[in-house]
Amino acid sequence: MAETLTFPPEEASKLSPYLPPQHNTSVSSSTAPTKPWVTLTYAVSLDSSLSLAPGVQTVLSGPQSKAMTHYLRSKHDAILVGVGTAVADDPGLNCRIAGAEDSQPRPTVLDPKARWEVREESKVIRLAREGKGKGPWVLVRKGAEVDEGRRRVLESVGGGYLVCGNGAEKGFGWEAVLEVLGTRGMRSVMVEGGGKVINSLLGRDKIGLVNSVIVTIAPTWLGKGGVVVSPDREEGKEQSAVGRLRDVKWCPLGDDVVLCGFPKTS
Ligand SMILES: NC(=O)C1=CN([C@@H]2O[C@H](COP(=O)(O)OP(=O)(O)OC[C@H]3O[C@@H](n4cnc5c(N)ncnc54)[C@H](O)[C@@H]3O)[C@@H](O)[C@H]2O)C=CC1
Ligand SMILES: Nc1nc(O)c(N)c(N[C@@H]2O[C@H](COP(=O)(O)O)[C@@H](O)[C@H]2O)n1
């Protein structure tokens, strides 16, 4: 049986400035879609690695910061990962906080070429079927060849393939991703990873898309060869475009420390 997690209210209150506005009502169909609030959140080692190697799931968060991640999931409408993570981790992408079982985020997978072999046994599908999570949305490029069996699996749990962008780009721009989510009533999205997703979201032309950053830092070095968070640096500049966070707060949680802050908006 899946574990149930608890996250103490005194810890939760420290995070509240960095969370999206909470809504008690469902979105009315007349509400114009707006860009969802984006929280970028992940766990890294002291050498900025998300995992030991591409395709390898690596536990970094201790129990308290893991509970924090699930608390964050309860505060967002959607949770987003790249297909690399979906393939490597077979993630559940649900919320397992006691008392927040009804606040399930919508799992969203960026998969331009529709290569994720989602099946009945995939954890996210099993959890959705058991009523412990929602059916995933898989964002694919216009013209992607979609497997009909996988489509049936997704749709059987209320998920599905969503076409994103105009097919002109290899992937799709973040603006297109957020538009697809906003149009479907998602007012907040928590981006969890992996490396390509995070580094692309911290790119030069993405300033203003990320509203807050919450990073768990685990007291370990994974060593060379890991999947590293390190966005491109503009030529001749002393830092990446996203630069330094403001209004920073450091919250120790067990052996880990959680860093919260706001990125540049312009
Ligand atoms: N420690 C942590 O908090 C986390 C660790 N991970 C780890 O990260 C690793 C996976 O990272 P990566 O291999 O870099 O894969 P990834 O999860 O970033 O997925 C990359 C793929 O996503 C798609 N994609 C990414 N950005 C896109 C965009 N803007 N538009 C369209 N498609 C886009 C592309 O198909 C790309 O090849 C795994 O080992 C996983 O365990 C993943 C999430 C969180
Ligand atoms: N917060 C955090 N700490 C770690 O140590 C991790 N490895 C991850 N990974 C992310 O969590 C997903 C798996 O969790 P569930 O099966 O959904 O509970 C994984 O896919 C990454 O997005 N996160």
Side-chain angles (χ1 to χ4, degrees):
M1 212 174 82
E3 76 223 287
T4 307
L5 305 166
T6 53
F7 190 58
E10 62 274 18
E11 299 296 346
S13 65
K14 296 177 192 163
L15 301 176
S16 57
Y18 304 94
L19 295 180
Q22 299 299 304
H23 303 267
N24 296 322
T25 51
S26 60
V27 192
S28 101
S29 54
S30 61
T31 308
T34 52
K35 179 192 101 53
W37 170 287
V38 176
T39 306
L40 178 59
T41 183
Y42 53 88
V44 276
S45 63
L46 295 176
D47 43 356
S48 200
S49 279
L50 293 165
S51 66
L52 279 163
V56 176
Q57 185 172 32
T58 307
V59 175
L60 286 165
S61 300
Q64 292 93 336
S65 40
K66 180 179 179 181
M68 179 208 68
T69 298
H70 280 258
Y71 170 76
L72 295 182
R73 290 179 177 183
S74 74
K75 298 292 176 190
H76 290 79
D77 291 341
I79 172 173
L80 182 148
V81 296
V83 61
T85 298
V87 170
D89 293 1
D90 185 25
L93 302 178
N94 70 338
C95 165
R96 301 198 284 278
I97 286 286
E101 292 85 353
D102 293 336
S103 304
Q104 293 294 342
R106 172 71 63 180
T108 306
V109 178
L110 294 192
D111 187 10
K113 294 182 188 155
R115 71 178 171 93
W116 182 32
E117 294 177 14
V118 58
R119 50 174 75 96
E120 205 54 62
E121 301 75 35
S122 302
K123 194 169 162 195
V124 66
I125 300 295
R126 199 167 35 76
L127 289 168
R129 194 159 313 288
E130 290 168 4
K132 295 177 183 163
K134 289 193 169 144
W137 288 343
V138 182
L139 270 54
V140 296
R141 198 175 164 230
K142 192 173 174 189
E145 271 183 46
V146 163
D147 178 275
E148 287 309 315
R150 296 179 203 163
R151 187 200 296 280
R152 276 195 296 278
V153 169
L154 290 168
E155 292 182 354
S156 71
V157 291
Y161 285 107
L162 306 180
V163 174
C164 186
N166 56 16
E169 297 172 82
K170 219 166 72 185
F172 10 77
W174 278 99
E175 289 80 1
V177 171
L178 297 178
E179 190 188 326
V180 165
L181 294 177
T183 308
R184 282 162 181 79
M186 299 293 103
R187 288 162 297 195
S188 56
V189 54
M190 169 172 169
V191 176
E192 280 202 5
K196 290 198 184 79
V197 163
I198 295 169
N199 290 327
S200 80
L201 193 50
L202 294 175
R204 186 161 53 91
D205 50 345
K206 307 297 180 302
I207 303 298
L209 291 187
V210 179
N211 296 87
S212 73
V213 176
I214 303 177
V215 178
T216 297
I217 301 164
T220 182
W221 289 274
L222 291 185
K224 288 190 170 49
V227 175
V228 170
V229 176
S230 182
D232 289 338
R233 187 190 310 154
E234 281 182 275
E235 228 177 288
K237 298 270 170 74
E238 288 181 1
Q239 54 187 7
S240 71
V242 75
R244 202 181 165 94
L245 296 173
R246 63 176 172 81
D247 297 323
V248 165
K249 197 185 272 181
W250 294 87
C251 310
L253 267 184
D255 283 350
D256 303 335
V257 63
V258 173
L259 163 68
C260 310
F262 298 107
K264 254 191 339 209
T265 50
S266 58

